[in-house]
Amino acid sequence: MNPPSRNVERGAATREHLLGVATRLFAERGYEGTSIDAVLTETGVSRGSLYHHFKGKDALFDAVLEAVELDVGRRLVAAVGTDSSRDPATALRLGCMAWIGIAGDPVVQRILLIDAPGVLGWARWRELDERHAFGKIKQTVAELARDGVFDASMADLFAHVLLASMNEIALLVARADNQRAAIRHARAAVDELLRRLLRPT
């Protein structure tokens, strides 16, 4: 009989394998074009094992989305850095610029921006985003409000406006024929937007 720790490790490895393959399939084929049977074929995992880890296709997609959100969060933190002395305006600008580049990733485009709101519903999509990227935006905007950059009563609204703007720009970049040029133009536009938003009143 295998020791409990070995079984836990094997179960965790199976779950990660399923998530990795499902992420690739959802990114390539979209949610509707990806079946449980396709995941089973690609992974070689039994149906019973898959359903042990995930109740169904929606649950599998939910877990994939959270993994994508975590990865985006790590990439944003790497771009912004962890210097506690950095002012929030600089951190926000660095994060927004990094997001434009990250949103060029086909996995992020298809899973997070295109399929997630329709598959999981807006509420669940926003719940996950608030735990990750959107949560960081709200925190930084709140810091700016405390610094007197704008009225604190409008901080939450500004965070939503900024998120919507960044996601729309990301979708425009995703659909562009020349993504390098689109990213360059998008960064220039966002830089101007933030300059106007964050200028002293």
Side-chain angles (χ1 to χ4, degrees):
M1 180 179 293
N2 291 324
S5 60
R6 182 74 58 81
N7 290 334
V8 170
E9 289 173 4
R10 184 176 298 170
T14 298
R15 187 179 189 278
E16 287 304 306
H17 181 44
L18 285 164
L19 282 176
V21 170
T23 298
R24 175 172 59 79
L25 292 176
F26 284 135
E28 291 175 354
R29 306 178 186 180
Y31 177 82
E32 293 299 333
T34 301
S35 66
I36 288 293
D37 285 342
V39 175
L40 295 176
T41 298
E42 292 274 347
T43 58
V45 171
S46 71
R47 191 175 298 273
S49 182
L50 185 148
Y51 283 115
H52 170 74
H53 292 285
F54 308 102
K55 291 182 180 180
K57 185 175 164 182
D58 283 0
L60 178 58
F61 184 85
D62 190 296
V64 164
L65 175 62
E66 180 130 39
V68 172
E69 288 271 19
L70 281 167
D71 181 60
V72 168
R74 284 192 291 267
R75 291 159 75 177
L76 288 174
V77 168
V80 173
T82 56
D83 184 355
S84 61
S85 66
R86 176 167 286 149
D87 68 280
T90 299
L92 184 62
R93 180 173 280 102
L94 288 172
C96 288
M97 295 302 173
W99 167 240
I100 293 171
I102 292 168
D105 182 337
V107 172
V108 174
Q109 290 172 8
R110 186 63 191 245
I111 293 173
L112 197 158
L113 293 172
I114 297 173
D115 281 355
V119 172
L120 300 179
W122 187 89
R124 175 59 177 161
W125 179 54
R126 181 46 47 81
E127 177 191 343
L128 286 173
D129 207 28
E130 189 138 359
R131 294 213 300 260
H132 301 289
F134 184 45
K136 290 179 174 61
I137 290 176
K138 290 182 72 173
Q139 179 182 345
T140 306
V141 169
E143 290 174 10
L144 288 165
R146 286 196 294 272
D147 289 346
V149 175
F150 43 73
D151 189 335
S153 67
M154 301 188 72
D156 189 65
L157 180 59
F158 273 138
H160 280 271
V161 168
L162 187 56
L163 177 71
S165 300
M166 295 307 301
N167 284 348
E168 185 63 23
I169 287 173
L171 288 170
L172 288 173
V173 168
R175 296 189 178 101
D177 293 329
N178 185 338
Q179 288 210 350
R180 296 181 79 173
I183 288 173
R184 186 171 64 253
H185 293 151
R187 284 177 169 156
V190 169
D191 190 59
E192 178 66 12
L193 173 67
L194 292 176
R195 187 181 68 80
R196 291 172 179 270
L197 178 65
L198 302 177
R199 66 185 176 187
T201 56

